[in-house]
Every structure is written in structure tokens, then in C-alpha cells.
């Protein structure tokens, strides 16, 4: 090699050897030249590399499509932009590589000249910076910045889907005392331990963030007041057991304020501010408790929570009682049956009626043990009356939808009958249209099994639900109870008259007994008699009464027609 050309080659060689970046020349899908740095980067010798290794050998399979596309673009003369792929060394180890290729010509051959860099370190650093920016360094929880992002996302989604959401402001009670008396490092350990316990309470989709100090924020997408209250209760409970930090046994409590989207605010600042206000209300209320921002929420959910927790103890504390209302045969005036109606004798609230607590019991699943108790008690009472010589054809027991659908319901009914000795024909289960319509196939199976046992079935509150006539034919129902709302204005409202008489006629043509609920006046009774109604129940005869009073009514038969 001579003169200027030799000088240029030497210069090129020296430059390439000194470069601290991988440099390549690629043509026809193979590496024509790679510099020493690039050989070292991938662990190949120059001989192994040049003309043998192709670009796809250097990247993981997932990146093949992308790299092939880039190669085609360079071959077509299109300049490249730096891009990142996962590279594979000769020994199989991986790293993140940044590539920049440019089209060029090498004699007649179109080539691509480019540089590659190992950017693994930079990637790590970037990730760490992101973590520092988004997460609290002490607890590792999302910080204020990330909380803002997530809240904005949550509000956008809630707005789109018409969902509600809750934001909680949680502040540790008297945390300053821990810091002041035991030092900041114990305080820090305590915060971490608390963060762990709180994390275990919230769901995956929730965000538990730390705003600094002893303040935590919990973001709960897709929840309403009741669930938020339940989560708050569990958060308070989770901190109840003492913490052991730095050789100290510490007990802490916290106060929680809750704001609800959308009623308490449409943006994070308002929601935070209102949750903060509510948190101070919780502090004022003696700490270790939670409060909603809006007052109505407090009273509604607090009563409900109170009811829920005392409902759990009501069974064992024997606070339930059954009252019985006579079912009267319209033709003879005889009391031929009784409907069992539950009452809750609450320590503070006094007598609580079923309409107030049955829905709560249904939501919490408490209805199952309560319903089992009702059935047992009613059957036991019916058998007592029958054994003492009183005539009682039917003991009617209300069954809630959840209870009816619980596994083993039929077996439970069978068990109660054999335990009490009550004959199955004496028991009548009252179901609403909503209960039987829920899942017609399952319902039919259960109803048929009960029917085969000999248990009677009646449709309660008839006329208020779906009122589909088709299922009256399909389901083994023996009785229809016309809802009180149609009886109330029977004397004056022609629509109600039409409905009542239609139900009565339809019932008789389907050979079903029809009972009118809520009969309060002699006029209503007279109308029903004209219409040919079979049975009646209501205050005109008797309110629901205690078992003792019902015994007297059964014995005296005060409504029987005497000539
Ligand atoms: P229901 O089964 O339709 O019971 C009839 C309700 O109407 C009873 O209310 C009864 O006291 C009331 N009532 C009867 N005659 C008259 C009347 O002439 N005028 C007026 N204004 N009301 C009358 P109660 O005892 O408050 O029960 C309400 C509902 O609670 C019941 O409606 C039933 O759905 C449910 N329930 C009661 N006991 C139980 C139970 O043990 N289990 C379940 N799952 N639900 C029950
Ligand atoms: Mg009923
Ligand atoms: Mg009813």
C-alpha cells in the first residue's frame, strides 16, 4: 500500500481501533467490517464476525421483525434514527443496545454503516430515576406525583363508565409522639410496618400512596360509600395489633377521612381537600375512626355498619323473635294458618322491623343463618300447636332470595321438618316473584324437590314483580298472595279492583288458592268476598302477634261465622 492511500488506511485502522463504540459496515445482510470494540461487545473474534454473523444473530427473536424492517429501509437508502433492541452476545447473555444505521455505498455495493452502544447502564439509571420520581423512598409506596397520575386516570375512567370512586386521607394519630420520644428511625420503621399492613387490606387496583410524614392516601376505583366504609373499617382494624419495632411494642391508631367521586369533587385537589376535612372530623370524633365528607353519608353508612355488626351478634344473643299473623279462610272465618314474621329486639334501637334489617342481612350473607333459625322456630311452634290439639293447616315462612338459592336449601328444609316432627304439608314457603324468576332452571329444580317433599309454595307480594303468567303454569306453586298495594284502595280505585279480580279469576282457573294481604276494613273484605277470593290476612283480623296470643286466637277462633 503506498502513499496517500496507505496513510488513509492506517488512519482508518487506528480510528476504528480506538473507538469506544461498536462500528460496523454491513452489506448483503452480512457484516463486511466490524471494529474491535464491536467484537468485544458481542464476544466474537473478527474472523467469526466478518462475513459469518448476520444482524439477526445479534438480537433476540422478538426484535427480528423490527430489525429486518430497518435493514430493508437502509438498503433502500432511507437514513435511520437511533433505536433500541435487546442484543444477544455469543455466550447468550443479553443487553440493551442502541443502534444507528446510515445508508452508504461501498464500490458498487449498497451498504449500511452504523454504530452500536450498550445502553444497559443508562436504562438502569433511567428506571431508578423514575422510581425516585414516582415512589416514596422510605416505604416504596407511590408518592404524590404518581398518585396524581393515577387519580387523573381513575377520574377519566370513572367519568367514561359512569362509575363512582373513593379517596381516603389517612393520618396516624399522635405520630409525633413516637418520633419525639423514640427517635425518627423508630418512627420510620413504624411507617414501613404500617404501610405493609395497609397494603394487605387494599385491592390490586387500589392505590396506596404516602404523601410524606404520617399521611397516607388510598384511592379506590369503582366503589361506593358502603364499600369505602368497609375498607376504612378494615384499615383501622389492620393497625390494631401492636407493632414490634426496634425492640419496642407500639400501638397506634389512625383517623380516616373519605371523599367520594363524583359527589364530593371532580378533580384530585377537591377530593383531597374534602377527604382532609373529613379526616379532621374523624379526629374530632375521638380518633381511631373514619368519617365521610358529606354528612348524609355518615349517618346512612354508620347506621348500616352499626346494624351489620350488631346483626352478627343478634342470633347468638337471641335477639330475634317471631310474631304470627293469622291466615283466615274467607268463607268460614276460620284461622287456618299463620305467617311467621321476624322481629329484632335490639338493645338500643328497640323493636326493629324486617324491612329495615332483612336487606342488610341479605347483603352480608347473614340471612342464611337467620333464615335457618326462622324456619326451625316456626316449624317447632307449629308442631307445638298441632300437638296440643289446635287446628293449624299452614305455617307460612318467608324465604329470602339468597337463602332460597344457597346450596343445600332443600336438605335444610328436610332436616328441620324431621327434627321438629312437622308434617311437610303443613309448611308453606313464601317466595317473591323476583326470587323464582332469578334463574328459572335452578329455581325449577329446587321448587320441584320441595314440591315432591310435600312442602307448599306460595308467591308473596304477587303483582309487584314480573307477573309473568308463564311461570305460574311451569312452577309447582299452590298459592298467590295479592300484594297489599292492590288491596289498600280496593274500595275506590277501579284499577286495583280490576287487578285483584283478574288475579283471583286467574288463580281459580289455575286451581291456585288466592290470598289477599293487608285487609284492613270490612269494605275491602266484602269486595274480596264478591270477587271470590279464598283467603285473607290483615289488620282487620289481627296484626302479627306473639306466639302466646296466637295460641289464644287459634283456640278461640274469634273470626268464625256463627249463625
Ligand atoms: P310480607 O311477607 O309481605 O309480610 C306481610 C307484611 O305486611 C308484614 O310486615 C305484616 O305485618 C304486614 N301487614 C299484614 N297485614 C297488614 C295490614 O293490614 N296493613 C298493613 N299496613 N300491613 C300489614 P312485616 O312483618 O313488617 O314484614 C315485612 C316483610 O319482611 C315481609 O313482607 C317479608 O317480606 C319480610 N319478612 C318478614 N319476616 C321475614 C323472615 O323471617 N324472613 C324473610 N326472608 N323475610 C321476612
Ligand atoms: Mg310473606
Ligand atoms: Mg307480602
Amino acid at each position: 500500500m503506498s502513499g496517500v492511500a496507505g496513510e488513509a488506511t492506517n488512519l482508518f485502522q487506528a480510528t476504528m481501533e480506538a473507538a469506544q463504540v461498536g462500528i460496523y459496515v454491513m452489506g448483503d445482510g452480512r457484516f463486511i467490517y466490524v471494529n474491535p470494540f464491536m467484537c468485544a461487545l458481542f464476544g466474537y473474534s473478527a474472523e467469526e464476525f466478518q462475513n459469518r454473523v448476520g444482524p439477526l444473530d445479534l438480537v433476540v427473536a422478538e426484535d427480528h421483525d423490527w430489525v429486518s424492517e430497518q435493514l430493508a429501509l437502509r438498503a433502500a437508502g432511507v437514513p435511520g434514527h437511533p433505536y433500541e433492541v435487546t442484543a444477544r452476545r455469543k455466550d447468550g447473555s443479553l443487553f440493551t443496545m442502541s443502534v444507528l444505521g446510515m445508508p452508504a455505498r461501498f464500490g458498487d455495493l449498497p451498504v449500511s454503516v452504523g454504530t452500536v452502544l450498550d445502553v444497559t447502564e443508562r436504562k438502569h439509571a433511567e428506571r431508578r430515576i423514575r422510581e425516585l420520581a414516582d415512589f416514596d423512598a422510605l416505604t416504596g409506596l407511590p408518592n404524590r406525583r404518581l398518585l396524581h397520575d393515577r387519580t387523573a386516570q381513575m377520574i377519566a375512567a370513572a367519568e367514561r363508565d359512569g362509575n363512582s370512586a373513593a379517596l381516603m386521607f389517612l393520618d396516624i394519630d399522635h405520630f409525633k409522639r413516637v418520633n419525639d420520644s423514640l427517635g425518627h428511625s423508630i418512627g420510620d420503621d413504624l411507617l414501613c410496618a404500617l404501610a405493609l399492613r395497609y397494603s394487605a387490606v387494599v385491592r390490586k387496583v387500589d392505590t396506596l400512596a404516602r404523601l410524606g410524614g404520617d399521611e397516607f392516601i388510598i384511592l379506590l376505583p369503582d366503589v361506593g360509600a358502603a364499600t369505602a366504609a368497609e375498607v376504612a373499617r378494615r384499615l383501622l382494624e389492620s393497625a390494631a395489633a401492636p407493632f414490634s419495632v426496634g425492640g419496642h411494642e407500639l400501638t397506634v391508631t389512625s383517623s380516616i377521612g373519605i371523599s367520594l367521586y363524583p359527589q364530593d369533587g371532580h378533580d384530585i385537589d377537591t377530593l383531597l381537600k374534602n377527604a382532609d376535612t373529613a379526616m379532621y372530623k374523624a379526629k374530632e370524633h375521638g380518633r381511631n375512626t373514619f368519617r365521610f365528607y358529606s354528612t348524609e353519608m355518615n349517618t346512612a353508612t354508620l347506621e348500616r355498619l352499626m346494624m351489620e355488626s350488631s346483626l352478627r351478634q343478634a342470633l347468638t344473643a337471641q335477639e330475634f323473635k317471631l310474631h304470627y299473623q293469622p291466615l283466615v279462610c274467607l268463607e268460614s272465618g276460620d284461622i287456618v294458618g299463620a305467617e311467621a314474621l321476624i322481629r329484632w329486639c335490639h338493645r338500643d334501637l328497640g323493636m326493629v322491623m324486617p324491612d329495615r334489617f332483612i336487606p342488610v342481612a341479605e347483603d352480608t350473607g347473614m340471612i342464611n343463618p337467620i333464615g335457618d333459625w326462622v324456619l326451625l322456630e316456626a316449624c317447632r311452634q307449629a308442631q307445638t300447636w298441632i300437638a296440643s290439639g289446635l287446628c293449624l293447616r299452614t305455617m307460612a315462612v318467608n324465604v329470602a332470595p339468597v337463602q332460597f338459592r344457597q346450596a343445600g336449601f332443600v336438605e335444610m328444609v328436610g332436616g328441620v321438618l324431621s327434627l321438629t316432627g312437622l308434617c311437610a304439608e303443613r309448611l308453606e314457603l313464601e317466595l317473591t316473584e323476583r326470587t323464582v324468576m332469578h334463574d328459572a332452571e335452578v329455581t325449577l329444580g329446587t321448587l320441584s324437590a320441595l314440591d315432591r317433599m310435600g312442602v307448599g309454595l306460595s308467591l308473596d307480594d304477587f303483582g309487584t314483580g314480573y307477573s309473568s303468567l308463564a311461570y305460574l303454569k311451569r312452577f309447582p306453586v299452590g298459592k298467590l298472595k295479592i300484594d297489599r298495594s292492590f288491596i289498600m284502595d280496593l274500595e275506590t280505585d277501579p284499577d286495583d279492583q280490576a287487578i285483584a279480580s283478574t288475579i283471583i279469576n286467574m288463580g281459580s282457573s289455575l286451581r291456585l288458592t288466592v290470598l289477599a294481604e293487608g285487609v284492613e276494613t270490612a269494605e275491602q273484605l266484602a269486595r274480596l268476598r264478591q270477587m271470590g277470593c279464598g283467603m285473607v290476612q290483615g289488620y282487620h283480623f289481627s296484626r302479627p302477634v306473639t306466639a302466646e296470643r296466637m295460641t289464644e286466637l287459634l283456640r278461640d277462633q274469634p273470626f268464625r261465622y256463627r249463625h
Side-chain angles (χ1 to χ4, degrees):
M1 221 162 281
S2 65
V4 178
E7 269 302 291
T9 308
N10 286 342
L11 192 62
F12 170 80
Q13 208 82 39
T15 311
M16 286 303 138
E17 270 161 36
Q20 291 303 298
V21 47
I23 300 174
Y24 64 84
V25 179
M26 197 165 54
D28 208 12
R30 280 170 308 131
F31 289 102
I32 300 168
Y33 173 79
V34 287
N35 73 339
F37 189 88
M38 181 132 168
C39 290
L41 187 58
F42 283 93
Y44 292 102
S45 68
E47 292 71 44
E48 284 172 321
F49 224 134
Q50 272 147 211
N51 296 316
R52 292 212 177 86
V53 173
L56 295 185
D57 300 324
L58 301 183
V59 293
V60 295
E62 299 84 80
D63 290 337
H64 280 186
D65 287 349
W66 167 257
V67 171
S68 302
E69 194 181 297
Q70 291 298 312
L71 291 172
L73 286 170
R74 287 314 84 72
V78 181
H81 296 286
Y83 61 86
E84 282 174 12
V85 288
T86 305
R88 189 198 304 280
R89 296 191 185 86
K90 186 184 173 187
D91 66 6
S93 60
L94 304 178
F95 64 98
T96 308
M97 164 172 83
S98 170
V99 186
L100 175 60
M102 285 295 165
R105 294 201 78 80
F106 191 55
D108 278 343
L109 190 66
V111 296
S112 147
V113 182
T115 55
V116 303
L117 270 174
D118 179 355
V119 292
T120 311
E121 283 298 317
R122 200 188 73 210
K123 283 277 177 214
H124 274 308
E126 278 172 8
R127 195 171 318 130
R128 183 82 192 109
I129 287 166
R130 242 192 337 262
E131 274 170 14
L132 288 175
D134 281 348
F135 293 92
D136 168 43
L138 175 65
T139 58
L141 295 177
N143 63 13
R144 188 185 289 270
R145 220 190 63 77
L146 187 55
L147 174 72
H148 267 83
D149 284 359
R150 298 235 179 119
T151 311
Q153 279 167 20
M154 181 195 77
I155 290 174
E159 210 163 345
R160 189 188 59 221
D161 304 334
N163 285 336
S164 54
L167 188 142
M168 289 183 191
F169 202 116
L170 184 154
D171 185 277
I172 316 292
D173 297 331
H174 305 302
F175 184 71
K176 201 170 159 318
R177 283 189 203 159
V178 177
N179 265 346
D180 290 350
S181 57
L182 301 171
H184 283 266
S185 117
I186 300 278
D188 284 355
D189 289 351
L190 180 60
L191 286 173
C192 291
L194 276 162
L196 262 182
R197 292 226 190 140
Y198 294 151
S199 310
V201 171
V202 299
R203 304 167 300 174
K204 255 212 174 84
V205 291
D206 301 333
T207 298
L208 168 66
R210 179 171 172 246
L211 286 198
D214 58 345
E215 293 173 347
F216 294 87
I217 302 292
I218 300 109
L219 190 64
L220 305 158
D222 301 337
V223 305
T227 311
E230 178 57 25
V231 173
R233 196 182 59 73
R234 288 214 307 271
L235 285 167
L236 295 176
E237 213 175 76
S238 75
F243 292 89
S244 146
V245 275
H248 300 274
E249 285 270 297
L250 299 177
T251 307
V252 290
T253 60
S254 51
S255 301
I256 300 176
I258 309 171
S259 60
L260 297 170
Y261 171 89
Q263 57 263 54
D264 298 337
H266 283 89
D267 57 84
I268 178 151
D269 291 331
T270 316
L271 288 169
L272 266 179
K273 192 181 88 220
N274 292 344
D276 190 23
T277 307
M279 190 271 290
Y280 276 99
K281 281 198 245 173
K283 294 256 186 213
E284 276 165 24
H285 213 265
R287 301 167 201 270
N288 194 25
T289 188
F290 66 88
R291 279 291 177 274
F292 283 93
Y293 175 66
S294 72
T295 329
E296 313 86 76
M297 281 303 162
N298 283 327
T299 27
T301 42
L302 286 179
E303 176 185 288
R304 201 191 149 91
L305 275 182
M306 195 271 286
M307 223 178 237
E308 262 182 49
S309 66
S310 50
L311 204 52
R312 277 178 232 283
Q313 294 136 29
L315 259 184
T316 41
Q318 302 186 318
E319 291 176 348
F320 292 118
K321 218 165 62 181
L322 290 186
H323 279 185
Y324 300 91
Q325 191 176 31
L327 309 180
V328 179
C329 166
L330 209 156
E331 207 188 322
S332 65
D334 280 350
I335 299 175
V336 292
E339 175 174 4
L341 295 160
I342 193 169
R343 304 289 180 258
W344 180 14
C345 309
H346 191 279
R347 278 154 293 159
D348 311 320
L349 301 173
M351 168 108 82
V352 187
M353 298 305 271
D355 284 336
R356 231 171 116 198
F357 70 87
I358 292 285
V360 182
E362 290 194 46
D363 286 354
T364 54
M366 278 298 292
I367 192 67
N368 290 334
I370 294 174
D372 291 357
W373 175 85
V374 170
L375 191 71
L376 182 65
E377 179 60 19
C379 290
R380 200 195 50 72
Q381 182 60 63
Q383 184 57 24
T384 306
W385 282 326
I386 291 165
S388 71
L390 293 169
C391 180
L392 182 91
R393 244 192 283 151
T394 316
M395 171 54 82
V397 177
N398 293 285
V399 177
V402 192
Q403 202 191 342
F404 179 74
R405 287 195 291 273
Q406 78 178 304
F409 178 70
V410 176
E411 290 73 12
M412 193 273 293
V413 174
V416 166
L417 289 172
S418 67
L419 190 71
T420 55
L422 184 71
C423 159
E425 284 71 22
R426 297 274 170 265
L427 177 64
E428 186 172 79
L429 300 180
E430 295 198 356
L431 306 158
T432 62
E433 292 167 279
R434 237 161 301 137
T435 311
V436 297
M437 284 307 290
H438 180 78
D439 181 348
E441 288 316 306
V442 178
T443 302
L444 187 57
T446 310
L447 289 178
S448 307
L450 291 166
D451 185 51
R452 278 195 300 275
M453 275 165 62
V455 173
L457 299 163
S458 76
L459 279 181
D460 205 351
D461 307 341
F462 190 77
T464 58
Y466 298 83
S467 296
S468 146
L469 299 180
Y471 63 79
L472 283 183
K473 211 178 115 222
R474 256 180 96 203
F475 294 154
V477 170
K479 186 184 282 175
L480 302 181
K481 298 187 77 173
I482 309 176
D483 191 67
R484 195 165 65 83
S485 56
F486 304 112
I487 308 300
M488 226 153 47
D489 301 319
L490 200 59
E491 296 136 79
T492 51
D493 189 330
D495 290 344
D496 287 346
Q497 288 164 10
I499 292 171
S501 90
T502 305
I503 297 176
I504 291 166
N505 290 334
M506 182 182 67
S508 83
S509 56
L510 289 167
R511 285 177 303 281
L512 304 173
T513 305
V514 178
L515 178 149
E517 290 187 303
V519 178
E520 295 187 354
T521 67
E523 289 74 23
Q524 292 166 346
L525 185 65
R527 283 270 181 188
L528 290 163
R529 182 176 288 119
Q530 275 171 7
M531 293 175 180
C533 185
M535 292 180 73
V536 280
Q537 169 183 6
Y539 293 176
H540 175 66
F541 301 96
S542 167
R543 290 179 176 260
V545 294
T546 61
E548 294 72 44
R549 176 74 189 122
M550 189 68 194
T551 311
E552 292 168 12
L553 290 173
L554 282 169
R555 195 189 54 217
D556 301 345
Q557 291 290 351
F559 318 124
R560 180 176 289 165
Y561 303 121
R562 297 168 216 274
H563 307 290

